[in-house]
Amino acid sequence: QVQLVESGGGLVQPGGSLRLSCAASGRIFSINAMGWYQQPPGKQRELVARITSGGSTEYADSVKGRFTISRDNAKNTVYLQMNSLKPEDTAVYYCKAAVETSSLAYARDYWGQGTQVTVSS
């Protein structure tokens, strides 16, 4: 019913920048919070940044001041601008969206397929 497609990952040197995008499509009535999560190799998936439909944001301590989350509600898209990247930022990055598929439905979480970010010299 709802698909999330991420893009923008890749290989970057320490200190470099990347911009991730995640576009939602399908049966969408409205989208509440959207967020980005990272899953380093052998570790659990953790929240990186989150943004509400009204634009309020929250960040993991490890990325504050370096990453910026934003969204374009007209395009059902969330972005993650990642600056001053460090090797420890290496992970698969997933987006998540809380989507209402009708005016009568509760919001349900949907996940993207993930995009690899590798920070290495």
Side-chain angles (χ1 to χ4, degrees), residues 36-40 43-49 60 62 94:
W36 288 95
Y37 293 72
Q38 64 178 196
Q39 187 166 18
K43 296 185 178 181
Q44 291 188 335
R45 194 175 301 184
E46 295 183 340
L47 176 69
V48 174
S62 60
Y94 297 89

Side-chain angles (χ1 to χ4, degrees), residues 17-40:
S17 299
L18 283 175
R19 189 190 193 211
L20 305 183
S21 300
C22 173
S25 63
R27 186 175 178 180
I28 298 172
F29 176 74
S30 67
I31 302 178
N32 297 339
M34 304 182 82
W36 288 95
Y37 293 72
Q38 64 178 196
Q39 187 166 18

